[in-house]
Amino acid sequence: QKEVEQDPGPLSVPEGAIVSLNCTYSNSAFQYFMWYRQYSRKGPELLMYTYSSGNKEDGRFTAQVDKSSKYISLFIRDSQPSDSATYLCAMRRSQGGSEKLVFGKGTKLTVNP
Amino acid sequence: EPEVTQTPSHQVTQMGQEVILRCVPISNHLYFYWYRQILGQKVEFLVSFYNNEISEKSEIFDDQFSVERPDGSNFTLKIRSTKLEDSAMYFCASRGRNQPQHFGDGTRLSIL
């Protein structure tokens, strides 16, 4: 079983739609969870950073973590064409443990005007 | 907003040649990383660096790879004798204490 699984899509939605992106993981040692956005030929740009289970909101973005199910989600409300990018989930162990980020494969999102 | 800067954006090198990829992390960050992304695949961890030494490395990071922080601002990745399979995007990342990692835009390495 892969450590982090993410549906690569592609996902195509109309402008204004609510987008749901998800990752599952197998390693219960993961404690920190991140979502990065990657535009073509650019590096991963940090969107959300969470530690505990529950929801964290930042503008149109909401990150959700369910450690009991080993499942994380990113919701994008009122999606815009500028949200078109690849979204990467990433996670790491707790402080003092391994610092490496383990990434999902990324979901390619297109928001159509 | 401060950012991680990587140069060059694209490097083309003959197989067997040495290559050095350069990064300027965000100032006052203390932890530094290299990752790579082969076309169509996941971003993969290579190495982490703190307090002037490697703190963790992956199995990819073999004797052909080395990292260095030659001064207070630069962080480099050297590949001693490049192979075709080293062709990838290489990303540098840095972070402050108890903060998430921030990435540069990468160097695209093409081995001929």
Side-chain angles (χ1 to χ4, degrees):
Chain A
Q1 186 181 11
K2 293 178 184 173
E3 270 196 300
V4 179
E5 302 222 40
Q6 183 177 10
D7 185 342
L11 183 62
S12 182
V13 302
E15 183 175 354
I18 296 174
V19 176
S20 171
L21 305 166
N22 312 292
C23 287
T24 59
Y25 61 98
S26 58
N27 192 338
S28 57
F30 289 138
Q31 297 292 321
Y32 292 87
F33 305 92
M34 284 132 281
W35 285 95
Y36 287 87
R37 177 173 62 194
Q38 187 175 26
Y39 291 114
S40 181
R41 297 190 178 277
K42 293 286 191 179
E45 172 193 2
L46 181 68
L47 281 178
M48 300 291 279
Y49 174 58
T50 56
Y51 171 70
S52 57
S53 282
N55 294 354
K56 181 178 179 180
E57 192 173 314
D58 184 1
R60 295 185 296 111
F61 299 91
T62 299
Q64 197 171 75
V65 174
D66 182 349
K67 288 183 180 177
S68 61
S69 301
K70 298 191 181 70
Y71 188 87
I72 68 171
S73 300
L74 178 72
F75 299 95
I76 307 174
R77 286 185 300 283
D78 187 25
S79 55
Q80 303 295 310
S82 57
D83 295 327
S84 298
T86 297
Y87 289 79
L88 310 173
C89 65
M91 46 200 80
R92 57 159 285 189
R93 291 184 172 91
S94 59
Q95 297 289 354
S98 170
E99 291 199 39
K100 70 176 184 182
L101 295 183
V102 180
F103 282 85
K105 200 168 182 183
T107 300
K108 185 171 183 178
L109 171 68
T110 300
V111 181
N112 301 299
Chain B
E1 186 167 325
E3 56 183 29
V4 176
T5 306
Q6 290 187 244
T7 54
S9 56
H10 188 197
Q11 174 81 47
V12 182
T13 302
Q14 292 288 331
M15 187 172 58
Q17 295 297 303
E18 175 183 288
V19 67
I20 297 175
L21 309 182
R22 302 182 191 278
C23 170
V24 178
I26 295 172
S27 68
N28 82 357
H29 279 190
L30 301 174
Y31 302 83
F32 313 111
Y33 308 85
W34 285 101
Y35 291 79
R36 80 172 185 190
Q37 186 177 29
I38 294 171
L39 189 63
Q41 297 188 25
K42 292 184 179 186
V43 177
E44 302 174 285
F45 170 78
L46 291 177
V47 66
S48 59
F49 191 86
Y50 170 70
N51 201 24
N52 271 328
E53 60 182 30
I54 291 173
S55 45
E56 186 178 2
K57 59 183 180 179
S58 71
E59 58 275 8
I60 303 167
F61 194 89
D62 62 21
D63 292 345
Q64 294 300 312
F65 291 86
S66 62
V67 289
E68 193 177 36
R69 186 152 162 82
D71 55 43
S73 58
N74 291 284
F75 180 50
T76 62
L77 174 70
K78 182 195 289 187
I79 308 175
R80 224 177 316 278
S81 177
T82 50
K83 306 191 245 324
L84 292 175
E85 54 265 37
D86 293 328
S87 295
M89 285 291 293
Y90 287 81
F91 295 109
C92 173
S94 70
R95 71 173 179 91
R97 199 176 297 280
N98 298 325
Q99 295 296 314
Q101 295 175 30
H102 293 266
F103 286 76
D105 278 340
T107 292
R108 182 155 66 107
L109 179 62
S110 300
I111 308 300
L112 304 178

